[in-house]
């Protein structure tokens, strides 16, 4: 019995040891679990504290970024230097170009942001060629400023005759455009996400504004729509703001955008300077804006000097574009009234009559001339030093621009600004905008041809009614006061299309320029 009890006691003691061992392991696990929990809690608290500190720093840096961020970033080198736009002068052009890449000049301080209550968002789709869109962008900035709305970077035309897929940032320096105007208007590259969702749901009002409208039209008609829908999309923007009788601040802002904010991309500016430097090395040069391209002839219906097949081709093209409203056109009558671009043959006679040196470089700022060498023969014979960007540059220089008509036109624009003489053969958008820009740069010589008089004189000379001396004298006398001289813009009540175009003669801005120069010389 004693032996049996002893065995039982030993078993209970062994079981107790096992139970104690199990309980110890569990306690150890619980202890370890508690330690792990405390470690995790400490780690979580460290992470939370670090997150709060980082967030506080981020808020502080964001607040200071507007002031110090641009100054720091401006000091970094750029792939494209912003040197003088010319090799032989043009100080006003240098002023128009930003100096942020020049290490020897002080860093440009960004203008302060304009603080105002935002009434909504304005989206715009420009139409037409480069210079038509350029003027429209200037108008839309002035309108956005007047209405206290946020402007979204304009969309450029991709469906016109040129079919150029270029976006705004492909042609213009978009960051400079936004920052240089921030004291006047808020400009964004795209709509904020919340507003963008509204647009995606169709909550947007789209319309073409009325042409040549006073700024009060936008205040009374467009602003209420923006306040109602939050976003308004203007789908045509050419010639939508009147030339005259606008508030002075509107006119001056149009100039500021055109002459300062709308700067081409560094790549385009760099290549433009290269063309100008090549020309300058070979002496003086004139730019001939020979608007004798297929699209212009088809649109205008001007077929002077064209054969039957060419006339039929131009007519077919005119009918192919439904938005070209005029279809049946009397070419001879239109030419008689000076509504056709001068032909290359008429241009050659005119330049010779004006005693333009036949050895001067003649830079052709245009696309492909209709009729090519057959039509250019007489002009080339009179002025053998005829060049184009394609002949001055290597194919590799133009490979990124070749299929983009607006970017190629931007190169011609830069060269036109710097030429010794600028001669447009038609008063299209490029001719008008370049004329105004050259006025702004100090009334550079721009020969504004009187086409109505010239075609009459040319016909008389060709038929023998006038001798060469008589023809030359008549041409010189007619253009003595048509060299880009200072003049006030004409106003024609109830016929805004016939008025002098604002961008060809922005005299409100030119007066300010003259006053500033006179004050600085005192």
């Amino acid at each position: 019995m004693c032996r049996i009890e002893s065995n039982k006691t030993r078993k209970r003691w062994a079981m107790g040891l096992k139970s104690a061992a199990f309980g110890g392991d569990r306690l150890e696990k619980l202890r370890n679990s508690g330690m792990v929990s405390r470690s995790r809690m400490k780690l979580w608290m460290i992470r939370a504290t670090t997150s709060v500190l980082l967030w506080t720093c981020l808020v502080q840096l964001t607040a200071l970024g507007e002031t110090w961020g641009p100054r720091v970033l401006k000091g970094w080198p750029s792939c494209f230097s912003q040197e003088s736009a010319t090799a032989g002068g043009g100080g006003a052009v240098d002023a128009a170009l930003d100096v942020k890449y020049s290490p020897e000049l002080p860093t440009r301080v960004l203008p302060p942001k304009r603080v105002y209550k935002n009434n909504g968002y304005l989206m715009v789709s420009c139409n037409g060629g480069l210079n038509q869109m350029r003027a429209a962008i200037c108008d839309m900035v002035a309108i956005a400023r007047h209405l206290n709305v946020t402007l979204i970077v304009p969309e450029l035309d991709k469906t016109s005759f040129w079919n150029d897929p270029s976006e705004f940032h492909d042609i213009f320096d978009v960051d400079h455009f936004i920052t240089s105007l921030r004291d006047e208007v808020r400009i964004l590259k795209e709509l904020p996400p919340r507003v963008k969702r509204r647009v995606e749901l169709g909550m947007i009002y789209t319309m073409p504004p009325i042409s040549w409208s006073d700024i009060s039209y936008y205040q009374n008609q467009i602003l209420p729509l923006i306040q109602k829908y939050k976003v308004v999309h203007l789908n045509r923007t050419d010639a939508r703001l009147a030339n005259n009788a606008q508030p002075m601040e509107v006119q001056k802002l149009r100039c500021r955008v055109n002459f300062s904010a709308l700067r081409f991309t560094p790549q385009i500016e760099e290549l433009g300077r290269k063309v100008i430097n090549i020309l300058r090395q070979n002496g003086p040069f004139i730019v001939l804006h020979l608007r004798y391209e297929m699209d212009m002839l088809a649109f205008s219906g001007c077929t002077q000097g064209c054969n039957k097949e060419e006339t039929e081709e131009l007519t077919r093209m005119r009918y192919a574009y439904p938005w070209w409203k005029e279809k049946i056109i009397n070419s001879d009558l239109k030419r008689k009234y000076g509504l056709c671009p001068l032909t290359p043959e008429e241009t050659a006679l005119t330049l010779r009559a004006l005693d333009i040196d036949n050895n001067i470089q003649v830079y052709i700022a245009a696309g492909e001339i209709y009729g090519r060498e057959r039509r250019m023969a007489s002009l080339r014979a009179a002025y053998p030093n005829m060049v184009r960007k394609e002949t001055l540059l290597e194919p590799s220089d133009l490979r990124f621009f070749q299929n983009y008509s607006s970017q190629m036109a931007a190169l011609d624009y830069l060269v036109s600004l710097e030429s010794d003489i600028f001669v447009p053969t038609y008063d299209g958008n490029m001719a008008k905008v370049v004329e105004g820009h050259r006025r702004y740069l100090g009334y550079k010589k721009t020969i504004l041809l009187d086409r109505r008089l010239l075609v009459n004189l040319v016909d008389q000379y060709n038929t023998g009614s006038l001798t060469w001396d008589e023809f030359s004298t008549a041409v010189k006398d007619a253009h003595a006061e048509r060299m880009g001289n200072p003049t006030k813009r004409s106003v024609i009540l109830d016929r805004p299309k016939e008025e002098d175009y604002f961008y060809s003669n922005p005299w409100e801005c030119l007066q300010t320029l003259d006053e500033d120069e006179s004050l600085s010389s005192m």
Side-chain angles (χ1 to χ4, degrees), residues 256-267:
R256 178 178 170 184
V257 180
N258 190 25
F259 303 133
S260 179
L262 278 181
R263 186 176 63 189
F264 295 122
T265 64
Q267 295 91 330

Side-chain angles (χ1 to χ4, degrees), residues 6 28 72 134 154 227 232 278 300 315 372 473 485 503:
S6 176
E28 187 66 23
V72 174
R134 183 188 185 101
Q227 292 172 327
V232 165
I278 294 172
S300 63
T315 302
R372 300 191 179 182
T473 299
N485 304 335
Y503 292 101

Side-chain angles (χ1 to χ4, degrees), residues 96-260:
L97 298 176
D98 202 283
V99 297
K100 63 182 179 182
Y101 297 102
S102 181
E104 64 273 7
L105 293 176
T107 303
R108 181 175 64 90
V109 178
L110 293 177
K113 280 186 177 181
R114 177 170 172 256
V115 179
Y116 61 95
K117 179 183 177 183
N118 181 33
N119 288 320
Y121 298 86
L122 179 64
M123 300 177 66
V124 297
S125 294
C126 302
N127 57 295
L130 173 65
N131 293 285
Q132 187 171 330
M133 294 190 292
R134 183 188 185 101
I137 292 166
C138 298
D139 287 350
M140 292 302 114
V141 170
I143 290 166
R145 165 65 172 82
H146 189 79
L147 301 183
N148 287 340
V149 298
T150 296
L151 177 69
I152 306 304
V153 168
E155 178 188 23
L156 303 188
D157 192 345
K158 302 176 184 61
T159 61
S160 64
F161 168 81
W162 299 275
N163 289 321
D164 189 336
S166 298
E167 301 288 353
F168 187 99
H169 63 264
D170 295 320
I171 300 173
F172 300 108
D173 186 335
V174 64
D175 292 322
H176 174 76
F177 175 69
I178 292 172
T179 57
S180 65
L181 293 169
R182 58 191 239 143
D183 61 331
E184 292 283 3
V185 62
R186 183 184 181 214
I187 304 174
L188 300 178
K189 293 182 181 179
E190 59 180 17
L191 288 167
R194 177 181 55 83
V195 183
K196 193 174 183 179
R197 283 194 292 271
R198 291 172 56 92
V199 173
E200 291 169 349
L201 293 172
M203 301 170 68
I204 184 175
Y205 192 89
T206 300
M207 62 173 291
I210 298 173
S211 300
W212 308 112
S213 295
D214 188 88
I215 195 68
S216 61
Y217 161 80
Y218 292 91
Q219 183 73 38
N220 300 329
Q221 301 294 325
I222 304 300
L223 180 57
L225 293 173
I226 296 176
Q227 292 172 327
K228 178 179 179 180
Y229 294 96
K230 301 303 178 186
V231 184
V232 165
H233 174 220
L234 302 183
N235 55 17
R236 288 183 68 89
T237 55
D238 63 316
R240 302 294 149 164
L241 187 58
N243 293 313
N244 298 298
Q246 304 309 305
M248 188 61 73
E249 61 269 19
V250 169
Q251 303 291 60
K252 289 184 177 179
L253 182 54
R254 293 166 94 177
C255 292
R256 178 178 170 184
V257 180
N258 190 25
F259 303 133
S260 179

